[in-house]
């Protein structure tokens, strides 16, 4: 009999650069679907906030855990986890951006805030969110990494480590990696 479980997911940025935005989509077959976005994640850090995901364990459980990670650097490069089936993701991103309009990307790239040291920085609010929403609303898992959660992961949680060229998934007794590749660049205007 299947038992519904919950666990937490935390991210760690080891890419070598500050990430303006990081998003994760988790799908457990067609039963559960969660997503979260973190903003301004410096290299070498893990944000305090965690994503809570749902999954099933137990006898006759047939569901699968699917994961997608999308990130945007401060200079506008968009990266994504890219298992062997990543072509579907690129198609999905293009479809989402065409559907939502590239205006959201342009608007997000134009938004600026004043930093504590007196400078102005563009913030990519909305770019990763638009991509995550499109991926979450699709039933497809093309471009998603399969990484199973187990009963043992309830208390331990999962850590997803973003590196320069790969994403590492770490649970209590299992690990997996998938490529992390640049798929697009959003041009940003410099605030005067």
């Amino acid at each position: 009999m299947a038992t519904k479980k919950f666990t937490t997911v935390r991210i760690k940025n080891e890419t070598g650069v500050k990430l303006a935005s990081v998003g994760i989509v988790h799908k457990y077959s067609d039963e559960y679907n969660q997503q979260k976005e973190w903003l301004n994640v410096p290299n070498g850090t893990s944000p305090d906030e965690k994503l809570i995901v749902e999954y099933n364990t137990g006898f006759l459980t047939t569901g699968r855990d699917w994961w997608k990670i999308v990130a945007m650097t401060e200079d506008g490069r968009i990266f994504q986890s890219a298992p062997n089936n990543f072509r579907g993701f690129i198609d999905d991103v293009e479809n989402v951006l065409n559907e939502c309009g590239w205006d959201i990307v342009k608007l997000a790239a134009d938004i600026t805030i004043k930093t504590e040291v007196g400078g102005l920085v563009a913030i990519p609010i909305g770019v990763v969110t638009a991509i995550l929403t499109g991926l979450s609303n699709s039933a497809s898992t093309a471009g998603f990494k399969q990484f199973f959660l187990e009963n043992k992961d309830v208390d331990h949680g999962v850590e997803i480590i973003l590196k320069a060229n790969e994403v590492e998934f770490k649970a209590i007794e299992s690990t997996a990696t998938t490529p992390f590749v640049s798929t697009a660049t959003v041009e940003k205007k410099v605030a005067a």
Side-chain angles (χ1 to χ4, degrees):
M1 181 170 152
T3 305
K4 184 176 185 176
K5 302 289 184 176
F6 297 88
T7 195
T8 58
V9 178
R10 76 180 188 113
I11 62 163
K12 184 171 186 182
N13 178 6
E14 291 185 0
T15 62
V17 298
K18 181 177 180 179
L19 297 173
S21 180
V22 177
I24 294 177
V25 174
H26 168 261
K27 293 181 181 187
Y28 180 82
S29 294
D30 61 353
E31 293 183 55
Y32 310 121
N33 186 334
Q34 297 89 30
Q35 70 179 44
K36 180 157 186 61
E37 182 178 14
W38 295 265
L39 298 176
N40 300 314
V41 183
N43 184 52
T45 66
S46 293
D48 292 332
E49 284 186 62
K50 296 176 182 169
L51 170 64
I52 298 173
V53 297
E54 300 171 80
Y55 62 104
N56 292 335
T57 62
F59 184 67
L60 298 177
T61 301
T62 59
R64 307 233 185 268
D65 293 284
W66 295 95
W67 304 84
K68 188 61 170 175
I69 292 82
V70 180
M72 184 172 177
T73 61
E74 289 187 308
D75 64 0
R77 291 176 291 150
I78 297 175
F79 287 82
Q80 52 108 3
S81 54
N84 292 337
N85 58 353
F86 78 95
R87 180 62 225 173
F89 173 78
I90 295 170
D91 294 339
D92 288 344
V93 168
E94 289 171 354
N95 289 338
V96 167
L97 293 175
N98 287 333
E99 199 172 293
C100 296
W102 281 87
D103 289 340
I104 191 169
V105 174
K106 292 174 187 167
L107 175 64
D110 289 344
I111 296 174
T112 59
I113 62 166
K114 187 167 182 144
T115 65
E116 292 178 16
V117 293
L120 293 174
V121 178
I123 301 295
I125 297 170
V127 175
V128 171
T129 298
I131 293 169
L132 290 176
T133 300
L135 290 171
S136 288
N137 291 337
S138 168
S140 173
T141 54
F144 280 67
K145 172 69 176 171
Q146 189 173 330
F147 180 72
F148 293 105
L149 296 175
E150 301 178 67
N151 191 41
K152 301 169 191 173
D153 298 318
V154 168
D155 295 327
H156 181 265
V158 175
E159 181 178 39
I160 297 177
I161 305 167
L162 289 73
K163 299 180 179 182
N165 297 310
E166 72 178 11
V167 175
E168 180 180 9
F169 297 81
K170 291 177 80 174
I172 195 162
E173 290 185 354
S174 58
T175 62
T177 60
T178 192
F180 195 47
V181 299
S182 178
T183 58
T185 300
V186 176
E187 289 188 32
K188 297 183 347 178
K189 293 181 182 177
V190 177

